[in-house]
Amino acid sequence: MPVQTESNHLGDWLKYEEDNLYSRDEVTVISGQNLATGTVVGVITASGKVTQLAPGASDGSQNAAGVLLRAVDASAADKPGVIIARHAICSDNGLVWPGSITGPQKTAAISQLKALGILVREGA
């Protein structure tokens, strides 16, 4: 029997958010990427658009600015999206990090999220 892999769902990583959509912000995901729900994102300072967190960058995207609420396929063009930007609790098991992120970079990003009021809990 072939193995089937199910992708992440919102409930896999978002455990709490503030009422009345307070935790959410509308954003524009920059083209050239297909991001899954739970992707930790940074904001490119020059454009204000979001991209997957890029710890080695120097354009603003090296700083964690939130977590993508729903998957966005911006492969061909910029697309609208929504991020969790404040007052939330996330499970570390469901967050999507860059493949090349190091332990210290991940720790720094989790601290940046905490400063926004987004708590990352182990195994929650």
Side-chain angles (χ1 to χ4, degrees):
M1 181 181 291
V3 175
Q4 294 182 352
T5 304
E6 188 173 350
S7 61
N8 268 356
H9 297 280
L10 184 60
D12 292 334
W13 63 270
L14 183 61
K15 301 306 177 183
Y16 170 83
E17 68 174 305
E18 194 64 48
D19 290 338
N20 298 319
L21 307 177
Y22 176 77
S23 300
R24 300 178 184 195
D25 279 346
E26 292 181 355
V27 296
T28 300
V29 178
I30 197 163
S31 65
Q33 50 193 341
N34 185 2
L35 302 178
T37 181
T39 299
V40 179
V41 297
V43 177
I44 299 170
T45 306
S47 67
K49 297 176 183 176
V50 300
T51 185
Q52 183 174 35
L53 180 71
S58 60
D59 61 359
S61 63
Q62 73 273 18
N63 300 313
V67 184
L68 195 62
L69 191 67
R70 302 263 185 227
V72 175
D73 185 356
S75 299
D78 293 354
K79 296 283 179 144
V82 176
I83 63 169
I84 295 296
R86 68 191 66 78
H87 290 280
I89 299 174
C90 301
S91 170
D92 66 337
N93 293 332
L95 294 181
V96 179
W97 299 95
S100 61
I101 196 167
T102 65
Q105 289 170 333
K106 187 174 179 180
T107 299
I110 289 171
S111 293
Q112 291 163 353
L113 290 172
K114 185 176 181 179
L116 299 171
I118 301 171
L119 305 177
V120 177
R121 300 289 190 225
E122 286 187 34

